[in-house]
Amino acid sequence: MKRLTTVFFSALLALCLLLGALPLTVSATLTEEQSAGCVADHLLQPVNPTASRESKNLLAYLSSLTDTDRFIVGQFDISTSDDTWNNITNQFGVSPGLYSNRYVFNHKYGETAESGLQIGFSNVEQANSLLEKHYKQGAVLLVHADQFEVQDYISQIGIASGRYTNDWNMIEQLDETNPDRDMELYNIWVQYCEAYIECLRDLESRGVNAYLMRPFVESNYKDFCGKTPGAYPAFVRVYQQFVERWKNSGLKGWLMTYSPGGDVDETMEARYPGNTYVDVLSVTYYSYFNYSTPGQGGSLNPKSFKDYSWYVRTGKPIGFSETSCRTGDWTVAYSIGRQSWYNTLTSMITYWPRVSFVNCWANGHYSLLDNTGGDTLEGN
């Protein structure tokens, strides 16, 4: 239990010292000069050439957790309130070390024909207020922006127009080097990117100087744009162009993550945008069938994260941007109960020591650290 307590709580203190985000009575124990010295041995060069000192320190801190018996545990709060987060804090007397939220995709047509389609997000004020709050409390931030939804929306328009029969290769229409790209679809993508940048400008204007951002979400999973082998080169180009757009945005706090599904391995290298475009590997990993007998305890199968060795070879910090504590099939998880979060987390430490953070998803009791249901957090 001592080791898991360290995993859940003390990592937050270390990060707060690096970022200077704790109250004066605590942060005063470490001067700015001392803080710089603490991270010097672990400092990695961020993708962003104009990265803030705080984002450099965050990257160094995540790297320093590699091959230790500690990682940061976080909770995604998918709503615009703090209900889940507050329940967890009330139960444990301390908050998780990582907080994530998302900008919710919104599209509408302007009042005039000339104004056309307008792409944006519907909850920027609420999301940024919560992100600012948790940053100033010392949490690591993971920021999503419904990228799958906008790609899905682009696909719907393309298919409805009759120009395309499926969405697998539509990623090519978002490639700025494609001279024959569909400009209607490409312009939607550009609007989306610009709207996302404006969200983050507002976030940084609030004093948030370090955060992980998660483009393309589960980029190797499900029916995302660019899934078929013929589209892999276009996917890589679009990802790299997305990163270049961020490098030219003037934003300083971001660290770029690459976030494929953890149980898919056949496309990993072919779709990877390259180390010069990625700061942190943030994997989607759910424990679908990793327990021997549903409801009867047990631990993760060390072979279930097929690509772990590949991630290690990149040399990048590794985290789970989405994870859960499921038992068996998604459709019956509620009825049969679930395994112990304690077993899940300690198994991750044992089998995958390079993991630096674990972020619990928000849908369903198998994904929450919240134990208010009475039997949803075994082994707490």
Side-chain angles (χ1 to χ4, degrees), residues 27 48 68 75 96 214 262 292 302:
S27 61
N48 183 8
T68 69
Q75 177 66 57
R214 190 184 178 216
S292 55

Side-chain angles (χ1 to χ4, degrees), residues 58 62 75-78 98-104 121 123-124 126-135 139-148 192 195-204 206 208-218 239 242 246 251 253-259 280 282 320-322 357 359 361:
L58 174 55
L62 293 175
Q75 177 66 57
F76 189 94
D77 211 337
I78 206 165
L98 183 148
Y99 174 79
S100 54
N101 209 324
R102 67 172 183 168
Y103 303 122
V104 177
F121 301 95
N123 67 326
V124 179
Q126 300 97 317
N128 280 352
S129 294
L130 289 171
L131 288 163
E132 175 191 3
K133 169 186 171 182
H134 291 294
Y135 176 81
V140 177
L141 301 185
L142 178 63
V143 184
H144 313 252
D146 274 6
Q147 202 132 7
F148 172 63
Y192 166 84
Y196 194 171
I197 287 172
E198 287 305 312
C199 292
L200 296 177
R201 284 203 178 107
D202 178 76
L203 183 65
E204 291 195 5
R206 298 166 182 257
V208 175
N209 298 318
Y211 51 91
L212 300 169
M213 58 171 295
R214 190 184 178 216
F216 293 83
V217 195
E218 300 155 324
Y239 203 109
F242 180 89
W246 252 247
L251 297 168
W254 55 272
L255 293 176
M256 190 66 62
T257 74
Y258 178 64
S259 184
V280 176
S282 59
F320 293 128
S321 50
E322 292 181 29
F357 63 89
N359 188 46
W361 192 238

Side-chain angles (χ1 to χ4, degrees), residues 32-72:
E32 182 174 331
E33 182 178 356
Q34 289 170 322
S35 175
C38 286
V39 302
D41 291 341
H42 302 288
L43 191 60
L44 303 175
Q45 185 61 42
V47 169
N48 183 8
T50 62
S52 66
R53 183 192 58 148
E54 292 87 349
S55 63
K56 291 178 180 178
N57 285 350
L58 174 55
L59 181 59
Y61 179 67
L62 293 175
S63 182
S64 75
L65 293 176
T66 294
D67 291 322
T68 69
D69 64 352
R70 297 182 301 133
F71 51 53
I72 305 167

Side-chain angles (χ1 to χ4, degrees), residues 238-267:
V238 171
Y239 203 109
Q240 293 174 345
Q241 291 160 16
F242 180 89
V243 176
E244 291 298 330
R245 186 182 296 273
W246 252 247
K247 288 166 67 175
N248 294 323
S249 68
L251 297 168
K252 299 182 183 299
W254 55 272
L255 293 176
M256 190 66 62
T257 74
Y258 178 64
S259 184
D263 55 353
V264 178
D265 62 351
E266 67 274 11
T267 68

Side-chain angles (χ1 to χ4, degrees), residues 170-216:
M170 216 168 295
I171 192 75
E172 296 173 358
Q173 310 312 318
L174 312 185
D175 178 7
E176 64 189 36
T177 66
N178 177 7
D180 300 318
R181 63 189 181 276
D182 186 315
M183 292 306 297
E184 179 185 8
L185 304 185
Y186 175 75
N187 287 335
I188 294 172
W189 175 245
V190 171
Q191 278 194 58
Y192 166 84
C193 292
E194 291 176 349
Y196 194 171
I197 287 172
E198 287 305 312
C199 292
L200 296 177
R201 284 203 178 107
D202 178 76
L203 183 65
E204 291 195 5
S205 74
R206 298 166 182 257
V208 175
N209 298 318
Y211 51 91
L212 300 169
M213 58 171 295
R214 190 184 178 216
F216 293 83

Side-chain angles (χ1 to χ4, degrees), residues 75-79 84 286 323 360-365 367-368:
Q75 177 66 57
F76 189 94
D77 211 337
I78 206 165
S79 67
T84 299
Y286 285 95
T323 194
C360 307
W361 192 238
N363 286 344
H365 70 273
S367 297
L368 300 178

Side-chain angles (χ1 to χ4, degrees), residues 87-341:
N87 286 338
I88 295 167
T89 302
N90 291 336
Q91 290 169 61
F92 291 101
V94 67
S95 297
L98 183 148
Y99 174 79
S100 54
N101 209 324
R102 67 172 183 168
Y103 303 122
V104 177
F105 176 61
N106 182 52
H107 59 87
K108 63 181 180 179
Y109 285 91
E111 296 180 0
T112 66
E114 290 76 17
S115 58
L117 183 66
Q118 299 174 0
I119 300 298
F121 301 95
S122 61
N123 67 326
V124 179
E125 173 60 32
Q126 300 97 317
N128 280 352
S129 294
L130 289 171
L131 288 163
E132 175 191 3
K133 169 186 171 182
H134 291 294
Y135 176 81
K136 291 180 177 178
Q137 290 173 343
V140 177
L141 301 185
L142 178 63
V143 184
H144 313 252
D146 274 6
Q147 202 132 7
F148 172 63
E149 279 79 358
V150 73
Q151 291 179 55
D152 185 56
Y153 178 65
I154 289 171
S155 297
Q156 289 177 25
I157 291 179
I159 293 172
S161 69
R163 289 169 286 179
Y164 309 96
T165 57
N166 61 59
D167 61 358
W168 291 346
N169 292 316
M170 216 168 295
I171 192 75
E172 296 173 358
Q173 310 312 318
L174 312 185
D175 178 7
E176 64 189 36
T177 66
N178 177 7
D180 300 318
R181 63 189 181 276
D182 186 315
M183 292 306 297
E184 179 185 8
L185 304 185
Y186 175 75
N187 287 335
I188 294 172
W189 175 245
V190 171
Q191 278 194 58
Y192 166 84
C193 292
E194 291 176 349
Y196 194 171
I197 287 172
E198 287 305 312
C199 292
L200 296 177
R201 284 203 178 107
D202 178 76
L203 183 65
E204 291 195 5
S205 74
R206 298 166 182 257
V208 175
N209 298 318
Y211 51 91
L212 300 169
M213 58 171 295
R214 190 184 178 216
F216 293 83
V217 195
E218 300 155 324
S219 57
N220 281 358
Y221 199 40
K222 301 178 182 175
D223 289 330
F224 285 78
C225 290
K227 178 181 177 181
T228 54
Y232 295 165
F235 173 85
V236 170
R237 288 193 298 272
V238 171
Y239 203 109
Q240 293 174 345
Q241 291 160 16
F242 180 89
V243 176
E244 291 298 330
R245 186 182 296 273
W246 252 247
K247 288 166 67 175
N248 294 323
S249 68
L251 297 168
K252 299 182 183 299
W254 55 272
L255 293 176
M256 190 66 62
T257 74
Y258 178 64
S259 184
D263 55 353
V264 178
D265 62 351
E266 67 274 11
T267 68
M268 195 60 64
E269 293 190 52
R271 291 170 55 87
Y272 186 55
N275 269 5
T276 57
Y277 292 90
V278 175
D279 290 308
V280 176
L281 297 163
S282 59
V283 188
T284 295
Y285 179 80
Y286 285 95
S287 56
Y288 288 104
F289 301 104
N290 300 326
Y291 294 90
S292 55
T293 305
Q296 300 300 314
S299 60
L300 289 177
N301 178 348
K303 296 181 180 179
S304 59
F305 184 9
K306 300 177 185 177
D307 300 311
Y308 176 71
S309 62
W310 181 88
Y311 284 104
V312 170
R313 290 197 298 273
T314 69
K316 298 292 184 179
I318 304 168
F320 293 128
S321 50
E322 292 181 29
T323 194
S324 73
C325 183
R326 291 178 178 154
T327 57
D329 193 324
W330 173 296
T331 60
V332 297
Y334 284 99
S335 61
I336 65 175
R338 70 174 193 188
Q339 303 302 329
S340 163
W341 263 113

Side-chain angles (χ1 to χ4, degrees), residues 17-36:
L17 293 174
L18 290 179
L19 300 185
L22 283 181
L24 182 61
T25 53
V26 176
S27 61
T29 62
L30 191 67
T31 66
E32 182 174 331
E33 182 178 356
Q34 289 170 322
S35 175

